[in-house]
Amino acid sequence: MKPLSLPGKASILLLLMLALAALSAGCTAKGGNPAGSEKEKDVLYLFNWNNYLAPDSVRRFETVCNCRLSQDYYSDNEEMLAKLAAGASGYDIIVPTGNALDTLLRQGALKPLDKSLLPNLRNINPAYLDTAFDPGNNYSVPYAFTLSLIGFNQEKLKELDLPTDTWALIFEPRYLEKIKGRVTVLDSQRELMAAALKYLGYSVNDASEEHWKKAAALIVRAKPYWAAFSNAGYIKELAKGNLWVAHGYSNDMFQAALDAKKTGRPFTVGYTVPKEGAVLALDSMVLHRSGRRPDLAHQFINFMLDGRNSAELTNLTGSGNPNEDAMRFIEPEIAANKAIFPDAELLGRLEMLRDLDRRQRRLLSRLWTEIKLR
């Protein structure tokens, strides 16, 4: 047999190399970036509430840090804690509310902050620093806050002659019978129980089993009149007019009101804090122990502490803002809204939820199960 010439061998070798390159490229495309690649290293992983960061802020931060921001979402603190307990990891930053921050600190799940990397921390209003959850703010930086309140179709409730300034609207049958099937409440143990406790004249942090059972009975009595337990869907349904009343968060009600106005609905979505009082939820940025990029995490926190960036969140979502430097960039109509920025009188009727001990969590879980099954 005639031996192959050198050019023939080279051609075969070249073909083999091209085939291997194609196979390698195919594997990379299917499986994503190889572990440990430089591109994969420059990713900041954020575990955050739904719709709680302006897209423009994301793009601007990615440009500033020359990195990618990857987000996963949760709709309430219980969901976030449950996912972490089930093994979710790798998050550099999480944005828990105060009572969930309590839990994470007790679990030893957080890394301390390096405040030398956070010069913009000076912009935070001292009223939102040094909380009972994290004295000295060694682990947490205030991000934004919301109020739990009642949103409603102003024209419809005026037509039905229903009050809008009391939790009685979602708990009392004499009012609910007029809006049956047009009401939703938050699908959150702590938030719904807090509303019931406030209506009964107790603190949202009342630990009495007797009072909790009264609150649960109040909820069970009202439940047949409600359309659903909902943490997010109520925004769209309220804006479309399918719902007339919703128990929810101030930033969600802001969005519902904005959507109804933009789409030219023949009604206005209003929202107000009940006279009995309500929950103020302060959300903070924290470093999770499983995060791999504390450098990018500190860079993001300091970025969000800049007044312009922080104001962008409020202008987009209607969330309350603990950043004093942000106030000059917030739209006047939002800054003047007491359901977003409560005045001193209203602040006196608001409470932050505290964490529960193991016995209290078991009791609440049992009561919640009974509520859902009845």
Side-chain angles (χ1 to χ4, degrees):
M1 182 180 291
K2 184 179 179 180
L4 293 172
S5 64
L6 184 58
K9 291 180 180 178
S11 298
I12 292 173
L13 181 60
L14 178 61
L15 289 172
L16 287 173
M17 291 175 65
L18 289 172
L20 287 172
L23 179 61
S24 175
C27 291
T28 301
K30 182 178 180 181
N33 293 315
S37 74
E38 192 62 33
K39 187 174 181 181
E40 182 63 18
K41 286 180 181 178
D42 291 331
V43 179
L44 177 69
Y45 291 95
L46 173 64
F47 200 17
N48 199 3
W49 295 82
N50 290 313
N51 304 313
Y52 215 28
L53 180 60
D56 286 346
S57 296
V58 173
R59 288 188 287 269
R60 196 159 54 253
F61 175 71
E62 288 179 330
T63 299
V64 169
C65 75
N66 192 27
C67 67
R68 181 168 66 85
L69 178 60
S70 175
Q71 294 190 77
D72 283 343
Y73 306 98
Y74 50 89
S75 58
D76 67 11
N77 285 292
E78 289 87 353
E79 179 187 349
M80 178 267 292
L81 292 171
K83 286 183 177 180
L84 292 176
S89 64
Y91 295 114
D92 297 293
I93 297 177
I94 302 177
V95 190
T97 308
N99 55 305
L101 173 59
D102 255 356
T103 301
L104 292 169
L105 284 170
R106 190 178 61 252
Q107 294 172 346
L110 304 181
K111 296 177 182 177
L113 297 165
D114 182 349
K115 295 181 184 178
S116 69
L117 301 176
L118 304 174
N120 287 335
L121 188 59
R122 62 179 179 271
N123 292 336
I124 295 296
N125 185 329
Y128 296 97
L129 293 172
D130 201 29
T131 64
F133 308 112
D134 181 21
N137 289 90
N138 295 312
Y139 294 89
S140 63
V141 173
Y143 179 72
F145 61 84
T146 58
L147 279 59
S148 302
L149 37 65
I150 295 174
F152 51 89
N153 183 313
Q154 287 188 174
E155 286 71 22
K156 181 58 66 173
L157 263 64
K158 184 177 182 180
E159 174 189 327
L160 296 173
D161 193 28
L162 292 174
T164 59
D165 64 344
T166 172
W167 289 118
L169 183 61
I170 67 169
F171 289 127
E172 288 296 340
R174 68 180 183 274
Y175 298 137
L176 287 168
E177 61 187 13
K178 295 183 179 182
I179 51 176
K180 184 176 182 179
R182 302 281 192 161
V183 186
T184 63
V185 295
L186 286 172
D187 191 11
S188 168
Q189 302 175 14
R190 293 301 306 276
E191 289 284 5
L192 187 54
M193 286 291 285
L197 286 168
K198 290 301 284 186
Y199 179 58
L200 293 171
Y202 307 125
S203 166
V204 299
N205 294 306
D206 192 307
S208 165
E209 181 173 348
E210 178 187 355
H211 295 167
W212 279 18
K213 288 181 176 179
K214 286 182 179 180
L218 184 71
I219 292 169
V220 168
R221 185 182 68 171
K223 183 183 171 185
Y225 298 92
W226 299 336
F229 293 81
S230 172
N231 284 337
Y234 66 86
I235 304 172
K236 180 188 293 184
E237 298 306 314
L238 196 58
K240 291 168 63 176
N242 295 333
L243 286 179
W244 296 342
V245 174
H247 165 219
Y249 302 111
S250 53
N251 56 327
D252 286 345
M253 300 309 176
F254 168 84
Q255 190 61 55
L258 195 62
D259 290 348
K261 184 177 181 179
K262 283 183 177 179
T263 53
R265 301 290 178 179
F267 57 82
T268 305
V269 174
Y271 47 106
T272 186
V273 178
K275 60 187 177 184
E276 297 90 357
V279 171
L280 184 151
L282 177 63
D283 300 318
S284 298
M285 297 175 282
V286 301
L287 308 183
H288 195 255
R289 65 184 178 190
S290 68
R292 294 181 289 272
R293 293 302 302 267
D295 56 332
L296 291 180
H298 281 88
Q299 192 174 349
F300 176 80
I301 292 173
N302 198 58
F303 173 87
M304 289 306 300
L305 285 171
D306 177 84
R308 288 182 182 272
N309 297 328
S310 184
E312 192 168 47
L313 172 68
T314 295
N315 288 333
L316 177 71
T317 68
S319 58
N321 202 313
N323 191 315
E324 288 184 319
D325 187 53
M327 297 307 296
R328 59 196 174 108
F329 303 111
I330 293 174
E331 295 174 10
E333 183 180 352
I334 298 176
N337 190 328
K338 291 184 180 180
I340 297 176
F341 287 96
D343 58 19
E345 187 277 329
L346 180 53
L347 273 173
R349 293 187 275 129
L350 302 175
E351 296 181 81
M352 293 188 192
L353 289 170
R354 298 298 307 273
D355 192 24
L356 304 174
D357 61 32
R358 186 174 301 176
R359 181 192 66 80
Q360 292 167 338
R361 284 195 296 273
R362 283 199 301 266
L363 173 58
L364 181 58
S365 180
R366 177 171 61 80
L367 290 173
W368 188 248
T369 299
E370 293 174 358
I371 287 169
K372 285 299 191 75
L373 291 177
R374 293 179 68 175

